[in-house]
Amino acid sequence: MYSFEPSEEQKMLIDAVGKYAVNDLRPAAREAEEGRLLPPKLVAKGWELGVLQASIPEAYGGFGDRSAVTGALAGEELAFGDLAGAIAVGTPNLFALPILLGGTEEQKQEYLPKVIEGNWTPYTSALIEFAFDFDPLALKTTATLKGDGYIISGEKAYVPFAKEAEAMIVYAALEGVTQGFVVSKGAAGLSVSDEAEKMLGLNALPTYRVKLDGVKVPKANRIGGDSGFDFERVLASMRVANAAAAVGVARAAFDYARDYAKEREAFGVKIAQKQAIAFMLAEMRTEIEAMRLLMWEAAWKLDTVKDDAFIEAYLASTGAADMAMMVTDRAVQILGGHGYIREHPVEMWMREGRGFAMFTGFTMV
Amino acid sequence: MTIEFETPKPIVQTQFVLKTVAEEMMRAKSRYFDEHEHEIPWDYIEFMHTAMKAMGVGSLAPKEKSNGGEESKEKRPPIAYQMLATQMEMLSWGDAGMYLITPGGGLGAAAVQAAGTPEQKAKFLARFVEEKPTMGAMCMTEAGAGSDTSSIRTRAVLDEKNNEWVLNGEKIFVTSGDKSITEYEKLGKGFIVVWASIDPSAGRAGMRSFVVESGTPGVKVTKLEHKLGIRVSDTASISLVDARVPFDHILGSPTVEKTTTGFKGAMATFDATRPLVAAAGLGVARAALEFLKEKLAENGVQIRYGVPRQKLTNIEREVIDCEIMLKSAWLMVLKAVWMADNKKHNALESSMSKVKAGDVGTKITQKAVEILGPLGYSREFLLEKWFRDAKITDIYEGTGQINRLVVARQILGYSGAELR
């Protein structure tokens, strides 16, 4: 059957997450962006909503089963509040979910309870590399089997919370195939940049460059053990999350621009009463809907293990990235000069809007 | 409730059957009828009528009730509109013009379905499952009233003595108007649904629609248009001169209230039909995109999905963008018809799906012709025809601009007066 309405349980989650996003994340967003710091209490509160915990089975310390659809719904709501906050709250997902999806039983037993029981703790993953043609399926960072372990070498960029991370999954090419390896804090040969990276947007999110200079990890640290794991599934999940976040940010910008247009007067009427503005809003809303549905379908295909889930996730991520740029750009345009001023959030969303073209690896559902 | 995208089994089966129909009965004749405008593809019409009757699909006619004694089947979620959308998409993938002359009542029947009483539905819709194929049409547009339906000049006056409505006016752009109103030996008695004012001083509140049957004196086709595309579908001008219809042929209330409830009720037809028209447009778009990919593959061009955009060729990027547009537009159609099936108010979703399909249908067909260059421009292939056919989606059933206006009013909470 086709059906387009979240379950009662999902609605409750959306409601809870939505309240946090609007009441906590959003009001703190501007200051966090300017001060380049997310209040730890804010992140802790988001963690307590239990989005990730609800995706992990009881056997590993959680209280539910993973659903990409549910994760995407939550991800959209969080990003609607504030993208940097959303990514921060979800950073441990980047470590836990690949292990849940592709890890061996031992790895699940070892790592999952540590990540999800208790307070938000920085566990992360390192995927992106600092190259214009960065390709998750053709990484420049390499892993080589040597004796009883793997030697990892390369450089990663945009690794959230790398500085404090207890452990991270480092993605590297093993005989040309992308695989994941758990690298613990303080491993020999692992170095993290002193300063957080400075970006076009997302300044509240601490991300770092990570250098791996012949880091040696035991064989047991390869996700999925000796036979490895299916990275494409993880990548698809990252892409769905990216699309969900893009929809969330676009929705934030759309709502803001719509409300502004209904308040702002020019030539004796509200500017929303002018077709030039009204049509922009109509198109923004239409494109948001289009990409939201594509993202939902991709998530559903992941959950139901459809053959084309990987392609669909790619299309959703690509389409949502373009959509988010278009919508956030128009939001600034609708506010005109005011949109360009940092008193309003739309310029921040516009800077984030461009990022979805490269954010894959920041979020996962 | 849940979020799910599994195509229901009956729809999958129908798609399978209709694909063969589309290939053999439609595509095989597409070029001929495109080049012989106003000729009628009787083979297709008769075949479809027989096939649809046998399958019990594609018609809005009331279903016969099963015996009361037997236990009725387990209640399944309603999928009638989802089924219709899928059928229209697949038939338009075959030939968008030919799909429009599929017997079954078209927009005329849809109007009766949306605004008629149970008695009217029984009276007017039963004919579509009888022996001969039968057509229905909707007459809305006039020379001076396109999307601005409140400017309609056609009048309906009640002749109280004879208890009849007397209609006068001139309608244009009536899809299947000729086959619905002109008497053909091979067709059953069709009808048109005519929009007219019963009280011009009341503006929109006075607007009503009337069922006018084939053979009604004073009604005739005055012109058949020559069009850019969908040429096999007749687009008629119809004049009504003192055309008399029985009192109970009015759809909606015969009295004029101060409000525009009557008008809005009738406009609800569009909430139901816009996603269907969108679906049809997407069928053309899919045909074009599939053809494009096929030709590229023949020429050794593969589309590398999953590869970062920075590494893709321009052609790959264009094709991937087309896929994103097409898939997401189709999901918007599905959501709108799913809402209709589940009796949810879908004015916003319905118009958004039409906005999107109008954009996507034109962009994809235009892009395909562009990318294939000399191949795309040639009449050796059907692609150039699809380019012409697709454009209608952005025009009929409310232009893209009108639908943007509808969407904008919905999202802004504005009335027609607040956002003109």
Side-chain angles (χ1 to χ4, degrees), chain A residues 20-48:
Chain A
Y20 164 74
V22 171
N23 300 333
D24 298 292
L25 284 182
R26 180 74 65 85
R30 174 57 78 184
E31 202 183 313
E33 166 80 7
E34 301 284 335
R36 307 191 70 216
L37 179 70
L38 278 163
K41 268 190 188 166
L42 184 71
V43 178
K45 191 173 176 185
W47 175 251
E48 282 158 20

Side-chain angles (χ1 to χ4, degrees), chain B residues 18-19 21-23 25-35 41 44 87-102 229-233 280 283-284 287 382 385-386 389 396:
Chain B
L18 290 183
K19 184 164 192 271
V21 173
E23 279 167 346
M25 304 294 298
M26 304 174 92
R27 288 233 181 142
K29 305 283 172 64
S30 274
R31 182 57 73 193
Y32 178 86
F33 286 103
D34 183 59
E35 292 183 351
Y44 170 76
Q87 291 166 354
M88 292 186 174
E89 195 271 350
M90 186 59 88
L91 292 177
S92 300
W93 176 86
D95 187 306
M98 229 181 274
Y99 136 71
L100 286 170
I101 53 166
T102 305
I230 55 166
R231 290 180 181 165
V232 69
S233 159
V284 183
L382 288 170
K385 175 181 178 294
W386 296 330
D389 288 350
Y396 67 1

Side-chain angles (χ1 to χ4, degrees), chain A residues 3 5 262 275 283 314, chain B residues 2 307 344 404 412 420:
Chain A
S3 181
E5 199 173 317
K262 286 184 76 173
Q275 286 190 356
E283 287 166 5
Y314 171 74
Chain B
T2 161
V307 170
K344 292 173 192 286
R404 276 166 173 76
L412 291 161
R420 288 172 186 279

Side-chain angles (χ1 to χ4, degrees), chain A residues 1-3 5 7 132 134-135 239 262 273 275 279 283 287 289-290 293 306 312 314 318 322, chain B residues 1-2 4 6-7 82 306-309 311 327 335 338 344 356 401 404 412 418-420:
Chain A
M1 285 296 136
Y2 296 123
S3 181
E5 199 173 317
S7 68
F132 89 94
F134 160 68
D135 182 347
R239 283 175 169 158
K262 286 184 76 173
Q273 291 177 276
Q275 286 190 356
F279 279 23
E283 287 166 5
E287 289 307 308
E289 177 84 355
L293 294 178
K306 299 281 185 258
E312 189 97 355
Y314 171 74
T318 306
D322 278 352
Chain B
M1 277 295 147
T2 161
E4 254 187 271
E6 197 77 65
T7 310
Q82 295 164 53
V307 170
R309 297 197 119 198
K311 286 185 163 183
K327 273 177 186 279
K335 184 178 176 188
W338 171 82
K344 292 173 192 286
K356 182 75 176 165
Q401 289 61 44
R404 276 166 173 76
L412 291 161
E418 287 168 307
L419 178 59
R420 288 172 186 279

Side-chain angles (χ1 to χ4, degrees), chain A residues 279-290:
Chain A
F279 279 23
M280 282 208 272
L281 287 165
E283 287 166 5
M284 290 155 76
R285 178 70 179 77
T286 301
E287 289 307 308
I288 290 171
E289 177 84 355

Side-chain angles (χ1 to χ4, degrees), chain B residues 163-371:
Chain B
N163 206 27
E164 286 175 335
W165 295 99
V166 182
L167 275 66
N168 279 286
E170 177 88 32
K171 293 290 180 182
I172 63 166
F173 296 169
V174 184
T175 298
S176 299
D178 179 53
K179 292 180 193 67
S180 301
I181 205 75
T182 305
E183 294 180 292
Y184 284 94
E185 203 185 312
K186 291 179 178 174
L187 294 178
K189 191 183 177 71
F191 64 75
I192 51 177
V193 171
V194 177
W195 284 67
S197 174
I198 55 173
D199 181 359
S201 68
R204 288 182 159 191
M207 216 61 77
R208 291 293 181 279
S209 50
F210 298 84
V211 177
V212 179
E213 305 225 34
S214 159
T216 303
V219 184
K220 70 169 188 215
V221 172
T222 52
K223 185 184 178 191
L224 289 177
E225 302 288 352
H226 295 83
K227 304 191 297 293
L228 171 65
I230 55 166
R231 290 180 181 165
V232 69
S233 159
D234 60 284
T235 304
S237 297
I238 294 177
S239 78
L240 300 115
V241 181
D242 292 330
R244 290 176 165 268
V245 302
F247 179 79
D248 66 357
H249 281 212
I250 185 170
L251 300 175
S253 163
T255 53
V256 176
E257 297 104 28
K258 289 269 157 56
T259 67
T260 55
T261 324
F263 180 77
K264 281 181 183 158
M267 289 302 279
T269 309
F270 288 119
D271 292 343
T273 54
R274 276 178 177 154
L276 300 178
V277 168
L282 295 180
V284 183
R286 182 164 65 89
L289 183 53
E290 285 175 4
F291 181 79
L292 170 63
K293 285 164 71 175
E294 201 181 291
K295 282 288 157 212
L296 289 174
E298 276 174 25
N299 288 279
V301 179
Q302 292 297 332
I303 309 301
R304 294 168 297 160
Y305 296 94
V307 170
R309 297 197 119 198
Q310 292 86 331
K311 286 185 163 183
L312 297 175
T313 64
N314 180 55
I315 286 181
E316 287 175 310
R317 288 181 75 146
E318 302 266 32
V319 171
I320 284 167
D321 282 346
C322 287
E323 300 239 18
I324 292 166
M325 286 192 268
L326 183 62
K327 273 177 186 279
S328 60
W330 176 241
L331 292 174
M332 294 181 83
V333 166
L334 279 185
K335 184 178 176 188
V337 288
W338 171 82
M339 291 177 84
D341 278 330
N342 289 282
K343 310 264 182 280
K344 292 173 192 286
H345 181 64
N346 72 345
L348 173 63
E349 286 76 9
S350 171
S351 281
M352 285 201 300
S353 75
K354 174 68 167 56
V355 166
K356 182 75 176 165
D359 280 354
V360 161
T362 46
K363 274 186 203 156
I364 290 178
T365 51
Q366 289 167 12
K367 192 48 78 179
V369 172
E370 180 208 323
I371 292 175

